[in-house]
Amino acid sequence: MLEDWLIEVRAAPTLEALEALRVRLLGKKGELTRKLKALKDLPPEARREEGKKLNEAKHVLEAAIKERAEELKKAAIAERLRAEAEDVTLPGLGFPAGNLHVLTQVMGELVGIFERMGYRAVLGPEVEEEFYNFDALNIPPHHPARDMHDTFWLKPAPGFEARFKRPMLLRTHTSPIQVRYMASHTPPFKIVAPGKVYRHEATDATHEAMFHQLEGLVVGDAITMADLKGALLSMARALYGPTARVNFRPSYFPFVEPGVEFEVWWENPKTGEGRWLELGGAGMVHPAVFRAVDDLREEKGLPRLYEGKTGFAFGLGVERIAMLRYQIPDIRYFFQNRLRFLEQFREEV
Ligand code: FA5
């Protein structure tokens, strides 16, 4: 009897099973308890002997249950430790750091160069009025220069016609910022304006439908072409080192007179070969632009300030500068968002 019970106790698989067994044997109506209760019906002689045996059995059983309980508790703790163990040798989860897009970096560097020369950086809208993008810049409706800027025109969504008081487009260059800034500021000043521009044209290795320009505008008294050349030469030296050279070729933009295209001498650091690379357009602000600005100011009730002023403006392609610097062969790489390309321009921190 006792032997069988002890075997059962030692085999109890869980603490719950052990407790059920304890109740079955030693509970109020337990098997052993009932036997103890039945002692009173025995004759005195047998009762003493049987009582002694049963009480011993009870102690042995209690001790065995206690021992098994300890064993099971220890096993449960060991199992929990095993299940919850952390493998400290596993490689951690990575949180890759992002980086600024290479064009954002180059744009920031360009703006910084001009800020150190006393220029203020300003922004203009990408959704622009035809008036600021063309008319105020001396490009009238049927001027052939408009064809050089294949334009994305905007249509109002149904119900929003009233918001389109004047024809709207995606700006084709950053030059409209010149007009916006002059209309609300008093010269003398020096500004640069970086931003995205859009042209509805076929894409190839050097042309995109969306690209970035940096506009510059300086207005004051007795500003000359020499100031323009000095500013762009300083920029070229800051970008490409003290031996950088800039060349100016006569060119035509309706909003400057005279107008130039400027190019920098660029030497391939690997082959040592050099060539002139066109970066952008520039020139002296055309009197017709100053007149348009004064007319606009007058409409707004502001004094005419620009007649008799002088100034220069320039606009350059930012992708060009980045492509030169990093020898990127195709402008389309900038906007394909391939990490293998973009991660090459991670800034060290
Ligand atoms: C202009 O946009 C004039 N607003 C520049 C200017 C400003 C002249 C102030 C005078 C005074 P242009 O269309 O040439 O000019 O563009 C200027 C530069 O933008 C180009 O030299 C070139 O570097 C870049 N660019 C032009 N078209 C694209 C294109 N599709 N993709 C990438 N870059 C372009």
Side-chain angles (χ1 to χ4, degrees):
M1 179 189 68
L2 179 60
E3 281 311 308
D4 293 341
W5 287 343
L6 287 176
I7 286 169
E8 269 194 85
V9 165
R10 286 178 195 133
T14 62
L15 282 166
E16 291 75 28
L18 183 64
E19 174 60 12
L21 186 59
R22 189 190 64 77
V23 171
R24 202 190 93 208
L25 302 177
L26 298 171
K28 265 189 206 150
K29 291 175 187 167
E31 289 174 33
L32 185 61
T33 315
R34 260 185 288 145
K35 283 192 195 306
L36 282 163
K37 278 183 186 161
L39 282 174
K40 65 180 187 309
D41 302 328
L42 295 178
E45 195 69 359
R47 187 190 304 168
R48 197 176 308 122
E49 203 174 305
E50 185 68 5
K52 194 175 165 214
K53 211 175 93 193
L54 286 178
N55 270 314
E56 267 174 23
K58 189 180 174 191
H59 286 131
V60 171
L61 202 52
E62 278 172 348
I65 288 173
K66 199 173 161 205
E67 193 183 325
R68 181 65 184 152
E70 290 302 320
E71 255 173 48
L72 287 170
K73 274 185 204 153
K74 269 192 207 147
I77 290 171
E79 169 58 21
R80 202 173 143 196
L81 282 176
R82 197 193 58 74
E84 292 177 6
E86 298 278 355
D87 182 351
V88 293
T89 65
L90 274 180
L93 291 177
F95 293 96
N99 58 286
L100 293 179
H101 191 280
V102 56
L103 288 175
T104 308
Q105 294 177 34
V106 171
M107 193 82 106
E109 189 179 332
L110 279 169
V111 169
I113 288 169
F114 283 101
E115 279 178 337
R116 287 192 290 281
M117 291 195 263
Y119 287 66
R120 177 179 174 207
V122 300
L123 298 175
E126 287 171 34
V127 172
E128 186 54 283
E129 292 178 23
E130 176 186 32
F131 172 78
Y132 289 101
N133 197 83
F134 291 126
D135 304 78
L137 289 168
N138 196 30
I139 317 178
H142 302 291
H143 195 284
R146 283 207 188 191
D147 301 340
M148 290 153 50
H149 297 227
D150 296 299
T151 308
F152 287 109
W153 292 94
L154 299 176
K155 287 202 294 243
F160 287 83
E161 292 80 3
R163 300 247 188 117
F164 272 56
K165 294 196 186 78
R166 306 210 256 185
M168 305 284 280
L169 44 77
L170 293 180
R171 68 181 177 197
T172 61
H173 53 172
T174 43
S175 299
I177 299 173
Q178 293 184 29
V179 181
R180 287 185 173 275
Y181 193 85
M182 286 192 276
S184 55
H185 292 84
T186 301
F189 58 75
K190 303 197 267 189
I191 57 163
V192 280
K196 291 188 179 73
V197 302
Y198 302 83
R199 291 190 194 173
H200 191 311
E201 61 182 18
T203 295
D204 62 26
T206 53
H207 294 84
E208 257 292 1
M210 189 276 291
F211 58 100
H212 296 75
Q213 289 189 338
L214 181 78
E215 191 81 9
L217 176 68
V218 173
V219 177
D221 294 315
I223 306 285
T224 72
M225 197 82 184
D227 297 312
L228 168 62
K229 293 176 85 168
L232 292 175
L233 182 60
S234 301
M235 178 195 78
R237 286 182 177 161
L239 278 175
Y240 300 112
T243 58
R245 284 188 286 157
V246 184
N247 188 47
F248 296 84
R249 279 190 290 110
S251 186
Y252 176 69
F253 299 94
F255 36 96
V256 287
E257 177 59 33
V260 295
E261 256 159 339
F262 61 96
E263 37 194 27
V264 295
W265 182 253
W266 182 75
E267 268 172 31
N268 184 324
K270 283 183 191 149
T271 64
E273 268 173 57
R275 61 188 170 116
W276 290 108
L277 283 152
E278 185 203 308
L279 283 191
M284 304 306 293
V285 179
H286 197 293
V289 175
F290 283 146
R291 213 174 308 123
V293 167
D294 270 342
D295 291 348
L296 194 57
R297 292 177 59 90
E298 205 167 81
E299 261 177 53
K300 293 183 178 182
L302 296 169
R304 296 181 77 93
L305 286 178
Y306 286 87
E307 196 155 0
K309 291 289 171 206
T310 47
F312 67 76
F314 60 86
L316 52 87
V318 179
E319 280 77 1
R320 282 280 160 85
I321 290 178
M323 288 168 83
L324 279 186
R325 148 104 36 111
Y326 298 113
Q327 303 198 51
I328 298 165
D330 194 315
I331 192 171
R332 288 165 294 197
Y333 290 168
F334 289 120
F335 308 115
Q336 287 167 336
N337 282 341
R338 293 200 181 135
L339 284 181
R340 267 158 58 96
F341 173 77
L342 297 173
E343 282 174 345
Q344 297 177 87
F345 307 101
R346 179 159 284 167
E347 288 171 298
E348 299 300 327
V349 283

